[in-house]
Amino acid sequence: MAPLKSKKLISLFCFLSGAACMALVYNITQCHHLLEIIKTPQLQTCSQKSTIASSTITALNGTKTFVVAAYYDNRGTNLVRIIGIVHHEETKDLYCWFHCRSKNSNVSIIRAHIDMHSDRFGFPYGTADILCPEPVDCDPKYVSIHWSREGDCEHIPMFEIRNRHPEALSSNFTVCISTMFGNYSSVLQFVQSVEMYKLLGVQKVMIYKSDCSTWMERVLHHYLSEGIVEIVPWPIASHLKVSKRWHYDIVPADLGYYGQLTALNDCIYRNMYRSRYLLLHDIDEMIIPLKSKNLKSMMAHLEDRGDNNAVFYFENFVFRFDVFDYTFNISAWGGVPGTNVLQHIYREPHREDRKTKGRKMIINPRKVIQTSVHNILQASGDIISVPHNTGVLYHCRKQYQPNLTIDSLIKDTTIWKYSKTLIPRVTKVLKNL
């Protein structure tokens, strides 16, 4: 047991740092670790500036660590949170090299704390937050990550510290889609989804793209020029052996599902001060209001429950893509690759015991710290489970409950209420292509 004096020191530190300890560490052991790393930083003079990292994913030489991006995070204390991918048996310490603007060419070096996310589903590599308290009197614009306190600045890449000066929110709703891989080619479903997002009030769709078909490249170019789509290059397969499945036991690899978890967490911080809400779901899913006309009116209703809401969970409704209805067999869409979601209106029945299975969420990114695929790992606000008669996750996919017969499926034409506006929009896009 620690001496009384040491306990008092730790408790005093946790009290003074307040929300930082609550949001980042949650226990005295981690607070003690921060006590160890928040020391007077080591200063070093750089004769030359480092090269600014140009790739979305940067390998750190000599380590089992990859860096995605660095973000300023002052929710409780001033620190820099670097989103990364780290091997769970990484043995090397990491150091943040802060490039100080106020000290000429000095670099302030502080040991980092690696916070591995709890969900990595058995894969050796997982998402991690590399955390460094920001040194005082430094005012850094860039930070580098290195495995040593010593080194040549010229050969250590710099990462811009984002979110330093938050601007007014430019979007109410942004969709984070991660990741587009496997030569993705479901053109019709993608166009239908984006046009549905627009009808529902989405202003931006973020896509972490590994690869897709030539058809999809043309579609993405169209939406890029329109301004609704933003693409983040995601060359994860050039760094690690990636799995197309969610768990290591299904398809062993270095990292699961093309680094989906890392992309989702990066999307949160990338849009923290750009969008009021983020919708976190896959490319074959849509969160659809049932009582409201659009997302804005639905969220206004849900926000009436309180002003500290961080996460809204939506139940997964599976619409079987192997069961068809041909009411909307649009001739103008003939020959276009992909699923026509208007033809799949038979869903598996609601089951209370599967309420959290496959659910997705709408979040306030300023209140979320870490996320997994189907649940939030750390947040600083209230969590709401949205009633399935208020809004649902419309998920067009193969069967989820394998013992169900077709006769036990429920005909649900909710998606058809958008058909009158959706069909001409989709047709216009396809003709333009």
Side-chain angles (χ1 to χ4, degrees), residues 26 116-121 127 261 265 311 313 361 368-379 383:
Y26 291 103
M116 289 290 297
H117 290 206
S118 56
D119 278 2
R120 57 183 174 85
F121 304 111
T127 306
L261 291 177
N265 281 273
V311 182
Y313 285 123
M361 50 266 195
V368 171
I369 299 166
Q370 294 179 358
T371 190
S372 185
V373 180
H374 303 297
N375 60 287
I376 295 297
L377 302 179
Q378 292 184 26
I383 295 175

mmCIF file with all atom_site columns, all heavy atoms in Angstrom, residues 26 116-121 127 261 265 311 313 361 368-379 383:
data_model
loop_
_atom_site.group_PDB
_atom_site.id
_atom_site.type_symbol
_atom_site.label_atom_id
_atom_site.label_alt_id
_atom_site.label_comp_id
_atom_site.label_asym_id
_atom_site.label_entity_id
_atom_site.label_seq_id
_atom_site.pdbx_PDB_ins_code
_atom_site.Cartn_x
_atom_site.Cartn_y
_atom_site.Cartn_z
_atom_site.occupancy
_atom_site.B_iso_or_equiv
_atom_site.pdbx_formal_charge
_atom_site.auth_seq_id
_atom_site.auth_comp_id
_atom_site.auth_asym_id
_atom_site.auth_atom_id
_atom_site.pdbx_PDB_model_num
ATOM 1   N N   . TYR A 1 26  ? -9.649  7.643  -15.342 1.00 0.00 ? 26  TYR A N   1
ATOM 2   C CA  . TYR A 1 26  ? -10.669 7.038  -14.505 1.00 0.00 ? 26  TYR A CA  1
ATOM 3   C C   . TYR A 1 26  ? -10.178 6.340  -13.239 1.00 0.00 ? 26  TYR A C   1
ATOM 4   O O   . TYR A 1 26  ? -10.981 5.855  -12.473 1.00 0.00 ? 26  TYR A O   1
ATOM 5   C CB  . TYR A 1 26  ? -11.486 6.007  -15.308 1.00 0.00 ? 26  TYR A CB  1
ATOM 6   C CG  . TYR A 1 26  ? -12.347 6.630  -16.345 1.00 0.00 ? 26  TYR A CG  1
ATOM 7   C CD1 . TYR A 1 26  ? -11.954 6.596  -17.687 1.00 0.00 ? 26  TYR A CD1 1
ATOM 8   C CD2 . TYR A 1 26  ? -13.525 7.276  -16.010 1.00 0.00 ? 26  TYR A CD2 1
ATOM 9   C CE1 . TYR A 1 26  ? -12.731 7.181  -18.654 1.00 0.00 ? 26  TYR A CE1 1
ATOM 10  C CE2 . TYR A 1 26  ? -14.300 7.863  -16.985 1.00 0.00 ? 26  TYR A CE2 1
ATOM 11  C CZ  . TYR A 1 26  ? -13.903 7.801  -18.297 1.00 0.00 ? 26  TYR A CZ  1
ATOM 12  O OH  . TYR A 1 26  ? -14.685 8.368  -19.253 1.00 0.00 ? 26  TYR A OH  1
ATOM 13  N N   . MET A 1 116 ? -4.318  2.127  -24.996 1.00 0.00 ? 116 MET A N   1
ATOM 14  C CA  . MET A 1 116 ? -4.907  1.186  -25.948 1.00 0.00 ? 116 MET A CA  1
ATOM 15  C C   . MET A 1 116 ? -6.415  1.110  -25.727 1.00 0.00 ? 116 MET A C   1
ATOM 16  O O   . MET A 1 116 ? -6.877  0.968  -24.597 1.00 0.00 ? 116 MET A O   1
ATOM 17  C CB  . MET A 1 116 ? -4.298  -0.207 -25.768 1.00 0.00 ? 116 MET A CB  1
ATOM 18  C CG  . MET A 1 116 ? -2.861  -0.355 -26.218 1.00 0.00 ? 116 MET A CG  1
ATOM 19  S SD  . MET A 1 116 ? -2.639  -0.284 -28.015 1.00 0.00 ? 116 MET A SD  1
ATOM 20  C CE  . MET A 1 116 ? -3.566  -1.708 -28.569 1.00 0.00 ? 116 MET A CE  1
ATOM 21  N N   . HIS A 1 117 ? -7.184  1.190  -26.812 1.00 0.00 ? 117 HIS A N   1
ATOM 22  C CA  . HIS A 1 117 ? -8.630  1.044  -26.700 1.00 0.00 ? 117 HIS A CA  1
ATOM 23  C C   . HIS A 1 117 ? -8.956  -0.399 -26.322 1.00 0.00 ? 117 HIS A C   1
ATOM 24  O O   . HIS A 1 117 ? -8.273  -1.338 -26.731 1.00 0.00 ? 117 HIS A O   1
ATOM 25  C CB  . HIS A 1 117 ? -9.302  1.411  -28.016 1.00 0.00 ? 117 HIS A CB  1
ATOM 26  C CG  . HIS A 1 117 ? -9.238  2.873  -28.328 1.00 0.00 ? 117 HIS A CG  1
ATOM 27  N ND1 . HIS A 1 117 ? -10.161 3.506  -29.128 1.00 0.00 ? 117 HIS A ND1 1
ATOM 28  C CD2 . HIS A 1 117 ? -8.361  3.842  -27.935 1.00 0.00 ? 117 HIS A CD2 1
ATOM 29  C CE1 . HIS A 1 117 ? -9.859  4.791  -29.229 1.00 0.00 ? 117 HIS A CE1 1
ATOM 30  N NE2 . HIS A 1 117 ? -8.769  5.012  -28.515 1.00 0.00 ? 117 HIS A NE2 1
ATOM 31  N N   . SER A 1 118 ? -10.022 -0.556 -25.557 1.00 0.00 ? 118 SER A N   1
ATOM 32  C CA  . SER A 1 118 ? -10.345 -1.873 -25.009 1.00 0.00 ? 118 SER A CA  1
ATOM 33  C C   . SER A 1 118 ? -10.817 -2.863 -26.070 1.00 0.00 ? 118 SER A C   1
ATOM 34  O O   . SER A 1 118 ? -10.691 -4.074 -25.879 1.00 0.00 ? 118 SER A O   1
ATOM 35  C CB  . SER A 1 118 ? -11.415 -1.729 -23.923 1.00 0.00 ? 118 SER A CB  1
ATOM 36  O OG  . SER A 1 118 ? -12.569 -1.074 -24.422 1.00 0.00 ? 118 SER A OG  1
ATOM 37  N N   . ASP A 1 119 ? -11.363 -2.389 -27.182 1.00 0.00 ? 119 ASP A N   1
ATOM 38  C CA  . ASP A 1 119 ? -11.849 -3.286 -28.239 1.00 0.00 ? 119 ASP A CA  1
ATOM 39  C C   . ASP A 1 119 ? -10.828 -3.400 -29.362 1.00 0.00 ? 119 ASP A C   1
ATOM 40  O O   . ASP A 1 119 ? -10.551 -2.419 -30.053 1.00 0.00 ? 119 ASP A O   1
ATOM 41  C CB  . ASP A 1 119 ? -13.177 -2.767 -28.821 1.00 0.00 ? 119 ASP A CB  1
ATOM 42  C CG  . ASP A 1 119 ? -14.373 -3.144 -27.967 1.00 0.00 ? 119 ASP A CG  1
ATOM 43  O OD1 . ASP A 1 119 ? -14.163 -3.762 -26.915 1.00 0.00 ? 119 ASP A OD1 1
ATOM 44  O OD2 . ASP A 1 119 ? -15.511 -2.813 -28.353 1.00 0.00 ? 119 ASP A OD2 1
ATOM 45  N N   . ARG A 1 120 ? -10.270 -4.600 -29.528 1.00 0.00 ? 120 ARG A N   1
ATOM 46  C CA  . ARG A 1 120 ? -9.472  -4.875 -30.732 1.00 0.00 ? 120 ARG A CA  1
ATOM 47  C C   . ARG A 1 120 ? -9.791  -6.260 -31.279 1.00 0.00 ? 120 ARG A C   1
ATOM 48  O O   . ARG A 1 120 ? -9.190  -6.710 -32.252 1.00 0.00 ? 120 ARG A O   1
ATOM 49  C CB  . ARG A 1 120 ? -7.975  -4.705 -30.479 1.00 0.00 ? 120 ARG A CB  1
ATOM 50  C CG  . ARG A 1 120 ? -7.398  -5.532 -29.371 1.00 0.00 ? 120 ARG A CG  1
ATOM 51  C CD  . ARG A 1 120 ? -5.915  -5.229 -29.160 1.00 0.00 ? 120 ARG A CD  1
ATOM 52  N NE  . ARG A 1 120 ? -5.425  -5.932 -27.990 1.00 0.00 ? 120 ARG A NE  1
ATOM 53  C CZ  . ARG A 1 120 ? -4.999  -7.195 -27.995 1.00 0.00 ? 120 ARG A CZ  1
ATOM 54  N NH1 . ARG A 1 120 ? -4.985  -7.899 -29.127 1.00 0.00 ? 120 ARG A NH1 1
ATOM 55  N NH2 . ARG A 1 120 ? -4.606  -7.763 -26.887 1.00 0.00 ? 120 ARG A NH2 1
ATOM 56  N N   . PHE A 1 121 ? -10.738 -6.970 -30.636 1.00 0.00 ? 121 PHE A N   1
ATOM 57  C CA  . PHE A 1 121 ? -11.319 -8.216 -31.133 1.00 0.00 ? 121 PHE A CA  1
ATOM 58  C C   . PHE A 1 121 ? -10.279 -9.284 -31.465 1.00 0.00 ? 121 PHE A C   1
ATOM 59  O O   . PHE A 1 121 ? -10.393 -9.996 -32.466 1.00 0.00 ? 121 PHE A O   1
ATOM 60  C CB  . PHE A 1 121 ? -12.202 -7.924 -32.341 1.00 0.00 ? 121 PHE A CB  1
ATOM 61  C CG  . PHE A 1 121 ? -13.284 -6.918 -32.050 1.00 0.00 ? 121 PHE A CG  1
ATOM 62  C CD1 . PHE A 1 121 ? -13.250 -5.644 -32.607 1.00 0.00 ? 121 PHE A CD1 1
ATOM 63  C CD2 . PHE A 1 121 ? -14.324 -7.224 -31.185 1.00 0.00 ? 121 PHE A CD2 1
ATOM 64  C CE1 . PHE A 1 121 ? -14.230 -4.703 -32.318 1.00 0.00 ? 121 PHE A CE1 1
ATOM 65  C CE2 . PHE A 1 121 ? -15.308 -6.289 -30.884 1.00 0.00 ? 121 PHE A CE2 1
ATOM 66  C CZ  . PHE A 1 121 ? -15.265 -5.024 -31.455 1.00 0.00 ? 121 PHE A CZ  1
ATOM 67  N N   . THR A 1 127 ? -6.476  0.165  -32.090 1.00 0.00 ? 127 THR A N   1
ATOM 68  C CA  . THR A 1 127 ? -6.498  1.622  -31.989 1.00 0.00 ? 127 THR A CA  1
ATOM 69  C C   . THR A 1 127 ? -5.947  2.050  -30.637 1.00 0.00 ? 127 THR A C   1
ATOM 70  O O   . THR A 1 127 ? -6.209  1.422  -29.616 1.00 0.00 ? 127 THR A O   1
ATOM 71  C CB  . THR A 1 127 ? -7.927  2.151  -32.153 1.00 0.00 ? 127 THR A CB  1
ATOM 72  O OG1 . THR A 1 127 ? -8.464  1.644  -33.379 1.00 0.00 ? 127 THR A OG1 1
ATOM 73  C CG2 . THR A 1 127 ? -7.959  3.669  -32.183 1.00 0.00 ? 127 THR A CG2 1
ATOM 74  N N   . LEU A 1 261 ? -11.998 0.688  -36.695 1.00 0.00 ? 261 LEU A N   1
ATOM 75  C CA  . LEU A 1 261 ? -12.091 1.375  -35.409 1.00 0.00 ? 261 LEU A CA  1
ATOM 76  C C   . LEU A 1 261 ? -11.234 2.637  -35.375 1.00 0.00 ? 261 LEU A C   1
ATOM 77  O O   . LEU A 1 261 ? -11.644 3.672  -34.842 1.00 0.00 ? 261 LEU A O   1
ATOM 78  C CB  . LEU A 1 261 ? -11.680 0.430  -34.284 1.00 0.00 ? 261 LEU A CB  1
ATOM 79  C CG  . LEU A 1 261 ? -12.625 -0.733 -34.004 1.00 0.00 ? 261 LEU A CG  1
ATOM 80  C CD1 . LEU A 1 261 ? -12.067 -1.632 -32.910 1.00 0.00 ? 261 LEU A CD1 1
ATOM 81  C CD2 . LEU A 1 261 ? -13.996 -0.236 -33.611 1.00 0.00 ? 261 LEU A CD2 1
ATOM 82  N N   . ASN A 1 265 ? -12.627 6.600  -34.923 1.00 0.00 ? 265 ASN A N   1
ATOM 83  C CA  . ASN A 1 265 ? -12.141 7.515  -33.893 1.00 0.00 ? 265 ASN A CA  1
ATOM 84  C C   . ASN A 1 265 ? -11.511 8.755  -34.509 1.00 0.00 ? 265 ASN A C   1
ATOM 85  O O   . ASN A 1 265 ? -11.695 9.867  -34.006 1.00 0.00 ? 265 ASN A O   1
ATOM 86  C CB  . ASN A 1 265 ? -11.145 6.796  -32.980 1.00 0.00 ? 265 ASN A CB  1
ATOM 87  C CG  . ASN A 1 265 ? -11.835 5.924  -31.949 1.00 0.00 ? 265 ASN A CG  1
ATOM 88  O OD1 . ASN A 1 265 ? -12.201 6.391  -30.877 1.00 0.00 ? 265 ASN A OD1 1
ATOM 89  N ND2 . ASN A 1 265 ? -12.035 4.659  -32.278 1.00 0.00 ? 265 ASN A ND2 1
ATOM 90  N N   . VAL A 1 311 ? -24.575 10.466 -26.570 1.00 0.00 ? 311 VAL A N   1
ATOM 91  C CA  . VAL A 1 311 ? -24.705 9.332  -27.482 1.00 0.00 ? 311 VAL A CA  1
ATOM 92  C C   . VAL A 1 311 ? -26.172 8.927  -27.589 1.00 0.00 ? 311 VAL A C   1
ATOM 93  O O   . VAL A 1 311 ? -26.885 8.854  -26.590 1.00 0.00 ? 311 VAL A O   1
ATOM 94  C CB  . VAL A 1 311 ? -23.888 8.122  -26.980 1.00 0.00 ? 311 VAL A CB  1
ATOM 95  C CG1 . VAL A 1 311 ? -23.999 6.959  -27.955 1.00 0.00 ? 311 VAL A CG1 1
ATOM 96  C CG2 . VAL A 1 311 ? -22.429 8.507  -26.754 1.00 0.00 ? 311 VAL A CG2 1
ATOM 97  N N   . TYR A 1 313 ? -28.211 5.733  -29.232 1.00 0.00 ? 313 TYR A N   1
ATOM 98  C CA  . TYR A 1 313 ? -28.130 4.425  -29.865 1.00 0.00 ? 313 TYR A CA  1
ATOM 99  C C   . TYR A 1 313 ? -29.410 4.123  -30.646 1.00 0.00 ? 313 TYR A C   1
ATOM 100 O O   . TYR A 1 313 ? -30.522 4.371  -30.160 1.00 0.00 ? 313 TYR A O   1
ATOM 101 C CB  . TYR A 1 313 ? -27.935 3.328  -28.819 1.00 0.00 ? 313 TYR A CB  1
ATOM 102 C CG  . TYR A 1 313 ? -26.543 3.259  -28.239 1.00 0.00 ? 313 TYR A CG  1
ATOM 103 C CD1 . TYR A 1 313 ? -26.324 3.367  -26.868 1.00 0.00 ? 313 TYR A CD1 1
ATOM 104 C CD2 . TYR A 1 313 ? -25.441 3.045  -29.058 1.00 0.00 ? 313 TYR A CD2 1
ATOM 105 C CE1 . TYR A 1 313 ? -25.059 3.279  -26.329 1.00 0.00 ? 313 TYR A CE1 1
ATOM 106 C CE2 . TYR A 1 313 ? -24.168 2.963  -28.532 1.00 0.00 ? 313 TYR A CE2 1
ATOM 107 C CZ  . TYR A 1 313 ? -23.981 3.082  -27.170 1.00 0.00 ? 313 TYR A CZ  1
ATOM 108 O OH  . TYR A 1 313 ? -22.717 3.007  -26.646 1.00 0.00 ? 313 TYR A OH  1
ATOM 109 N N   . MET A 1 361 ? -24.972 4.548  -33.910 1.00 0.00 ? 361 MET A N   1
ATOM 110 C CA  . MET A 1 361 ? -25.270 5.712  -33.075 1.00 0.00 ? 361 MET A CA  1
ATOM 111 C C   . MET A 1 361 ? -25.105 7.049  -33.779 1.00 0.00 ? 361 MET A C   1
ATOM 112 O O   . MET A 1 361 ? -24.407 7.163  -34.774 1.00 0.00 ? 361 MET A O   1
ATOM 113 C CB  . MET A 1 361 ? -24.420 5.705  -31.804 1.00 0.00 ? 361 MET A CB  1
ATOM 114 C CG  . MET A 1 361 ? -22.933 5.496  -32.008 1.00 0.00 ? 361 MET A CG  1
ATOM 115 S SD  . MET A 1 361 ? -22.533 3.756  -31.827 1.00 0.00 ? 361 MET A SD  1
ATOM 116 C CE  . MET A 1 361 ? -20.761 3.761  -31.659 1.00 0.00 ? 361 MET A CE  1
ATOM 117 N N   . VAL A 1 368 ? -17.565 12.817 -26.745 1.00 0.00 ? 368 VAL A N   1
ATOM 118 C CA  . VAL A 1 368 ? -17.114 11.430 -26.878 1.00 0.00 ? 368 VAL A CA  1
ATOM 119 C C   . VAL A 1 368 ? -15.591 11.394 -26.918 1.00 0.00 ? 368 VAL A C   1
ATOM 120 O O   . VAL A 1 368 ? -14.951 12.212 -27.581 1.00 0.00 ? 368 VAL A O   1
ATOM 121 C CB  . VAL A 1 368 ? -17.709 10.782 -28.142 1.00 0.00 ? 368 VAL A CB  1
ATOM 122 C CG1 . VAL A 1 368 ? -17.072 9.424  -28.409 1.00 0.00 ? 368 VAL A CG1 1
ATOM 123 C CG2 . VAL A 1 368 ? -19.223 10.632 -27.983 1.00 0.00 ? 368 VAL A CG2 1
ATOM 124 N N   . ILE A 1 369 ? -15.015 10.432 -26.214 1.00 0.00 ? 369 ILE A N   1
ATOM 125 C CA  . ILE A 1 369 ? -13.557 10.309 -26.127 1.00 0.00 ? 369 ILE A CA  1
ATOM 126 C C   . ILE A 1 369 ? -13.052 9.131  -26.954 1.00 0.00 ? 369 ILE A C   1
ATOM 127 O O   . ILE A 1 369 ? -12.100 9.252  -27.713 1.00 0.00 ? 369 ILE A O   1
ATOM 128 C CB  . ILE A 1 369 ? -13.120 10.170 -24.660 1.00 0.00 ? 369 ILE A CB  1
ATOM 129 C CG1 . ILE A 1 369 ? -13.539 11.430 -23.889 1.00 0.00 ? 369 ILE A CG1 1
ATOM 130 C CG2 . ILE A 1 369 ? -11.616 9.964  -24.543 1.00 0.00 ? 369 ILE A CG2 1
ATOM 131 C CD1 . ILE A 1 369 ? -13.474 11.278 -22.390 1.00 0.00 ? 369 ILE A CD1 1
ATOM 132 N N   . GLN A 1 370 ? -13.709 7.984  -26.834 1.00 0.00 ? 370 GLN A N   1
ATOM 133 C CA  . GLN A 1 370 ? -13.322 6.800  -27.601 1.00 0.00 ? 370 GLN A CA  1
ATOM 134 C C   . GLN A 1 370 ? -14.580 6.050  -28.027 1.00 0.00 ? 370 GLN A C   1
ATOM 135 O O   . GLN A 1 370 ? -15.557 5.991  -27.282 1.00 0.00 ? 370 GLN A O   1
ATOM 136 C CB  . GLN A 1 370 ? -12.449 5.847  -26.773 1.00 0.00 ? 370 GLN A CB  1
ATOM 137 C CG  . GLN A 1 370 ? -11.089 6.385  -26.388 1.00 0.00 ? 370 GLN A CG  1
ATOM 138 C CD  . GLN A 1 370 ? -10.304 5.377  -25.553 1.00 0.00 ? 370 GLN A CD  1
ATOM 139 O OE1 . GLN A 1 370 ? -10.784 4.290  -25.225 1.00 0.00 ? 370 GLN A OE1 1
ATOM 140 N NE2 . GLN A 1 370 ? -9.085  5.740  -25.201 1.00 0.00 ? 370 GLN A NE2 1
ATOM 141 N N   . THR A 1 371 ? -14.519 5.456  -29.228 1.00 0.00 ? 371 THR A N   1
ATOM 142 C CA  . THR A 1 371 ? -15.658 4.662  -29.697 1.00 0.00 ? 371 THR A CA  1
ATOM 143 C C   . THR A 1 371 ? -15.203 3.307  -30.212 1.00 0.00 ? 371 THR A C   1
ATOM 144 O O   . THR A 1 371 ? -14.068 3.131  -30.660 1.00 0.00 ? 371 THR A O   1
ATOM 145 C CB  . THR A 1 371 ? -16.422 5.397  -30.812 1.00 0.00 ? 371 THR A CB  1
ATOM 146 O OG1 . THR A 1 371 ? -17.650 4.697  -31.073 1.00 0.00 ? 371 THR A OG1 1
ATOM 147 C CG2 . THR A 1 371 ? -15.635 5.465  -32.119 1.00 0.00 ? 371 THR A CG2 1
ATOM 148 N N   . SER A 1 372 ? -16.115 2.348  -30.144 1.00 0.00 ? 372 SER A N   1
ATOM 149 C CA  . SER A 1 372 ? -15.965 1.076  -30.838 1.00 0.00 ? 372 SER A CA  1
ATOM 150 C C   . SER A 1 372 ? -16.975 1.092  -31.984 1.00 0.00 ? 372 SER A C   1
ATOM 151 O O   . SER A 1 372 ? -17.461 2.158  -32.370 1.00 0.00 ? 372 SER A O   1
ATOM 152 C CB  . SER A 1 372 ? -16.218 -0.086 -29.884 1.00 0.00 ? 372 SER A CB  1
ATOM 153 O OG  . SER A 1 372 ? -15.963 -1.323 -30.537 1.00 0.00 ? 372 SER A OG  1
ATOM 154 N N   . VAL A 1 373 ? -17.313 -0.073 -32.528 1.00 0.00 ? 373 VAL A N   1
ATOM 155 C CA  . VAL A 1 373 ? -18.234 -0.131 -33.665 1.00 0.00 ? 373 VAL A CA  1
ATOM 156 C C   . VAL A 1 373 ? -19.684 0.021  -33.218 1.00 0.00 ? 373 VAL A C   1
ATOM 157 O O   . VAL A 1 373 ? -20.442 0.822  -33.772 1.00 0.00 ? 373 VAL A O   1
ATOM 158 C CB  . VAL A 1 373 ? -18.073 -1.458 -34.448 1.00 0.00 ? 373 VAL A CB  1
ATOM 159 C CG1 . VAL A 1 373 ? -19.038 -1.504 -35.622 1.00 0.00 ? 373 VAL A CG1 1
ATOM 160 C CG2 . VAL A 1 373 ? -16.653 -1.612 -34.941 1.00 0.00 ? 373 VAL A CG2 1
ATOM 161 N N   . HIS A 1 374 ? -20.059 -0.721 -32.197 1.00 0.00 ? 374 HIS A N   1
ATOM 162 C CA  . HIS A 1 374 ? -21.464 -0.758 -31.775 1.00 0.00 ? 374 HIS A CA  1
ATOM 163 C C   . HIS A 1 374 ? -21.712 -0.092 -30.423 1.00 0.00 ? 374 HIS A C   1
ATOM 164 O O   . HIS A 1 374 ? -22.843 -0.085 -29.946 1.00 0.00 ? 374 HIS A O   1
ATOM 165 C CB  . HIS A 1 374 ? -21.955 -2.208 -31.716 1.00 0.00 ? 374 HIS A CB  1
ATOM 166 C CG  . HIS A 1 374 ? -21.810 -2.939 -33.009 1.00 0.00 ? 374 HIS A CG  1
ATOM 167 N ND1 . HIS A 1 374 ? -22.484 -2.571 -34.155 1.00 0.00 ? 374 HIS A ND1 1
ATOM 168 C CD2 . HIS A 1 374 ? -21.050 -4.016 -33.349 1.00 0.00 ? 374 HIS A CD2 1
ATOM 169 C CE1 . HIS A 1 374 ? -22.152 -3.384 -35.144 1.00 0.00 ? 374 HIS A CE1 1
ATOM 170 N NE2 . HIS A 1 374 ? -21.292 -4.266 -34.681 1.00 0.00 ? 374 HIS A NE2 1
ATOM 171 N N   . ASN A 1 375 ? -20.675 0.435  -29.819 1.00 0.00 ? 375 ASN A N   1
ATOM 172 C CA  . ASN A 1 375 ? -20.855 1.116  -28.545 1.00 0.00 ? 375 ASN A CA  1
ATOM 173 C C   . ASN A 1 375 ? -19.725 2.115  -28.309 1.00 0.00 ? 375 ASN A C   1
ATOM 174 O O   . ASN A 1 375 ? -18.632 1.984  -28.866 1.00 0.00 ? 375 ASN A O   1
ATOM 175 C CB  . ASN A 1 375 ? -20.917 0.111  -27.387 1.00 0.00 ? 375 ASN A CB  1
ATOM 176 C CG  . ASN A 1 375 ? -19.646 -0.715 -27.275 1.00 0.00 ? 375 ASN A CG  1
ATOM 177 O OD1 . ASN A 1 375 ? -19.396 -1.596 -28.096 1.00 0.00 ? 375 ASN A OD1 1
ATOM 178 N ND2 . ASN A 1 375 ? -18.837 -0.453 -26.259 1.00 0.00 ? 375 ASN A ND2 1
ATOM 179 N N   . ILE A 1 376 ? -20.016 3.102  -27.484 1.00 0.00 ? 376 ILE A N   1
ATOM 180 C CA  . ILE A 1 376 ? -19.033 4.111  -27.120 1.00 0.00 ? 376 ILE A CA  1
ATOM 181 C C   . ILE A 1 376 ? -18.216 3.597  -25.940 1.00 0.00 ? 376 ILE A C   1
ATOM 182 O O   . ILE A 1 376 ? -18.769 3.082  -24.963 1.00 0.00 ? 376 ILE A O   1
ATOM 183 C CB  . ILE A 1 376 ? -19.729 5.439  -26.755 1.00 0.00 ? 376 ILE A CB  1
ATOM 184 C CG1 . ILE A 1 376 ? -20.443 6.008  -27.982 1.00 0.00 ? 376 ILE A CG1 1
ATOM 185 C CG2 . ILE A 1 376 ? -18.730 6.452  -26.214 1.00 0.00 ? 376 ILE A CG2 1
ATOM 186 C CD1 . ILE A 1 376 ? -19.553 6.374  -29.140 1.00 0.00 ? 376 ILE A CD1 1
ATOM 187 N N   . LEU A 1 377 ? -16.906 3.728  -26.013 1.00 0.00 ? 377 LEU A N   1
ATOM 188 C CA  . LEU A 1 377 ? -16.036 3.242  -24.951 1.00 0.00 ? 377 LEU A CA  1
ATOM 189 C C   . LEU A 1 377 ? -15.875 4.254  -23.825 1.00 0.00 ? 377 LEU A C   1
ATOM 190 O O   . LEU A 1 377 ? -15.805 3.888  -22.659 1.00 0.00 ? 377 LEU A O   1
ATOM 191 C CB  . LEU A 1 377 ? -14.663 2.867  -25.526 1.00 0.00 ? 377 LEU A CB  1
ATOM 192 C CG  . LEU A 1 377 ? -14.665 1.809  -26.630 1.00 0.00 ? 377 LEU A CG  1
ATOM 193 C CD1 . LEU A 1 377 ? -13.245 1.560  -27.119 1.00 0.00 ? 377 LEU A CD1 1
ATOM 194 C CD2 . LEU A 1 377 ? -15.293 0.512  -26.134 1.00 0.00 ? 377 LEU A CD2 1
ATOM 195 N N   . GLN A 1 378 ? -15.764 5.536  -24.193 1.00 0.00 ? 378 GLN A N   1
ATOM 196 C CA  . GLN A 1 378 ? -15.634 6.594  -23.192 1.00 0.00 ? 378 GLN A CA  1
ATOM 197 C C   . GLN A 1 378 ? -16.389 7.826  -23.671 1.00 0.00 ? 378 GLN A C   1
ATOM 198 O O   . GLN A 1 378 ? -16.233 8.234  -24.815 1.00 0.00 ? 378 GLN A O   1
ATOM 199 C CB  . GLN A 1 378 ? -14.168 6.968  -22.947 1.00 0.00 ? 378 GLN A CB  1
ATOM 200 C CG  . GLN A 1 378 ? -13.330 5.905  -22.270 1.00 0.00 ? 378 GLN A CG  1
ATOM 201 C CD  . GLN A 1 378 ? -11.930 6.387  -21.985 1.00 0.00 ? 378 GLN A CD  1
ATOM 202 O OE1 . GLN A 1 378 ? -11.675 7.578  -21.829 1.00 0.00 ? 378 GLN A OE1 1
ATOM 203 N NE2 . GLN A 1 378 ? -10.995 5.450  -21.915 1.00 0.00 ? 378 GLN A NE2 1
ATOM 204 N N   . ALA A 1 379 ? -17.173 8.397  -22.772 1.00 0.00 ? 379 ALA A N   1
ATOM 205 C CA  . ALA A 1 379 ? -17.894 9.628  -23.084 1.00 0.00 ? 379 ALA A CA  1
ATOM 206 C C   . ALA A 1 379 ? -18.117 10.401 -21.796 1.00 0.00 ? 379 ALA A C   1
ATOM 207 O O   . ALA A 1 379 ? -18.055 9.842  -20.696 1.00 0.00 ? 379 ALA A O   1
ATOM 208 C CB  . ALA A 1 379 ? -19.226 9.325  -23.764 1.00 0.00 ? 379 ALA A CB  1
ATOM 209 N N   . ILE A 1 383 ? -26.118 8.886  -22.144 1.00 0.00 ? 383 ILE A N   1
ATOM 210 C CA  . ILE A 1 383 ? -26.308 7.941  -23.241 1.00 0.00 ? 383 ILE A CA  1
ATOM 211 C C   . ILE A 1 383 ? -27.779 7.566  -23.328 1.00 0.00 ? 383 ILE A C   1
ATOM 212 O O   . ILE A 1 383 ? -28.388 7.167  -22.326 1.00 0.00 ? 383 ILE A O   1
ATOM 213 C CB  . ILE A 1 383 ? -25.435 6.695  -23.036 1.00 0.00 ? 383 ILE A CB  1
ATOM 214 C CG1 . ILE A 1 383 ? -23.945 7.096  -23.109 1.00 0.00 ? 383 ILE A CG1 1
ATOM 215 C CG2 . ILE A 1 383 ? -25.748 5.629  -24.078 1.00 0.00 ? 383 ILE A CG2 1
ATOM 216 C CD1 . ILE A 1 383 ? -22.994 5.955  -22.811 1.00 0.00 ? 383 ILE A CD1 1
#
